[in-house]
Amino acid sequence: GGSANNLLFTDPVLTVLSNDLSQYVQNILTTCVLLFSMLVGQTYYFMYQQQELVFYALFAEVTEAKSLLEQISLISYGRPGLYPSLLSRMNDYVQNDLKLLSTKDPIAVTSALPKDDPLESILYATSVGLPGSIYETVKSLRQARANRCGAMQRKLPALHIYMLRLLGLIVLAAFPVCGSGSMAIAPNVLVLQSYMFGILAFALCLVLNVVEELRNSRKRGAYNVDGILEVMVGGLEQELE
């Protein structure tokens, strides 16, 4: 190990690195930084778009749910046996489906059997032979739920994040090689470069953590939508009570 370091960090090697007339090392660093910035930028844009689609889907779904609750109140007016049953199924949908978007797997919600779907039971309870008058509302609400599940589904595998981190490590490893050539001119400049390298490492870790936070938005975190959803369904829950 010591002999290898002596061969690598000799005065001629440091002089070549400081001049770098062929710009070989700088081109390697530039290529790594360009690849890293392109992949991280595209990943962040994709994940932020997905987060935006989640909000659009939630607003549409809550609006359709309120429309369905209004129609349930209208068609079951004067039918005391039907009204509590429909409200119970609607409350089951809100509490065990809509509000559990961060804990329930979107695939499991979509693949559930019709008999386990509260919206399906509402449709059957209000239909005799032919679909009832609330068929279109239930259909729109189920479509809005499908859009929400599609937006919440994780689309980037963990391998993608590991590859970004590996590329970030390559970028960080290339910087000390480029800066080591300064020792041939001014050895004390390494102190300043060490501070700048620390800032760079912190910035890269911060960017990767933001991307990871967006990817895991279903968990509790800065980009989690549970708090906003609580406010959105607050009025709906009051009407159900």
Side-chain angles (χ1 to χ4, degrees):
S3 60
N5 290 333
N6 293 332
L7 291 175
L8 288 176
F9 296 103
T10 58
D11 290 338
V13 173
L14 294 177
T15 303
V16 171
L17 289 176
S18 63
N19 295 326
D20 197 15
L21 297 178
S22 65
Q23 295 187 343
Y24 177 77
V25 178
Q26 292 183 12
N27 289 337
I28 293 177
L29 176 61
T30 303
T31 303
C32 292
V33 171
L34 182 61
L35 290 174
F36 179 78
S37 59
M38 287 175 57
L39 289 177
V40 170
Q42 288 294 326
T43 303
Y44 177 82
Y45 176 72
F46 173 77
M47 298 304 300
Y48 197 84
Q49 269 195 325
Q50 179 176 345
Q51 189 72 9
E52 188 178 13
L53 290 176
V54 171
F55 283 98
Y56 287 145
L58 285 177
F59 275 103
E61 187 172 3
V62 172
T63 301
E64 291 293 342
K66 289 183 178 180
S67 298
L68 179 60
L69 182 59
E70 292 172 356
Q71 290 196 7
I72 287 176
S73 301
L74 291 175
I75 66 174
S76 58
Y77 179 76
R79 303 168 66 180
L82 180 62
Y83 189 56
S85 176
L86 294 181
L87 288 183
S88 175
R89 295 169 185 175
M90 190 68 187
N91 186 67
D92 183 29
Y93 156 73
V94 173
Q95 300 298 330
N96 301 322
D97 188 345
L98 180 57
K99 293 185 65 176
L100 297 182
L101 79 166
S102 296
T103 56
K104 268 193 168 184
D105 188 0
I107 297 179
V109 174
T110 307
S111 61
L113 295 175
K115 66 182 181 63
D116 299 325
D117 186 3
L119 299 180
E120 191 78 14
S121 61
I122 291 175
L123 182 61
Y124 281 135
T126 56
S127 303
V128 180
L130 296 175
S133 57
I134 65 172
Y135 172 75
E136 290 297 329
T137 307
V138 173
K139 179 182 177 182
S140 299
L141 181 55
R142 294 173 73 175
Q143 181 63 48
R145 180 176 62 181
N147 293 336
R148 182 248 300 174
C149 291
M152 291 294 297
Q153 178 61 34
R154 182 178 297 170
K155 299 174 179 65
L156 289 181
L159 180 62
H160 185 96
I161 303 299
Y162 294 146
M163 292 176 63
L164 287 180
R165 290 176 178 175
L166 177 60
L167 193 55
L169 287 176
I170 294 175
V171 171
L172 290 178
F175 268 94
V177 177
C178 290
S180 61
S182 304
M183 291 180 61
I185 303 174
N188 293 333
V189 78
L190 291 180
V191 178
L192 177 61
Q193 288 180 349
S194 64
Y195 292 135
M196 300 303 295
F197 180 78
I199 294 174
L200 174 65
F202 173 77
L204 289 183
C205 292
L206 183 63
V207 169
L208 290 176
N209 284 334
V210 169
V211 174
E212 178 67 15
E213 190 77 14
L214 276 170
R215 178 176 172 271
N216 293 321
S217 59
R218 286 172 53 189
K219 300 179 180 179
R220 289 288 181 181
Y223 294 95
N224 188 270
V225 297
D226 284 348
I228 298 175
L229 182 61
E230 286 287 342
V231 179
M232 291 173 63
V233 300
L236 191 61
E237 289 180 314
Q238 291 179 1
E239 292 184 15
L240 286 171
E241 292 175 357

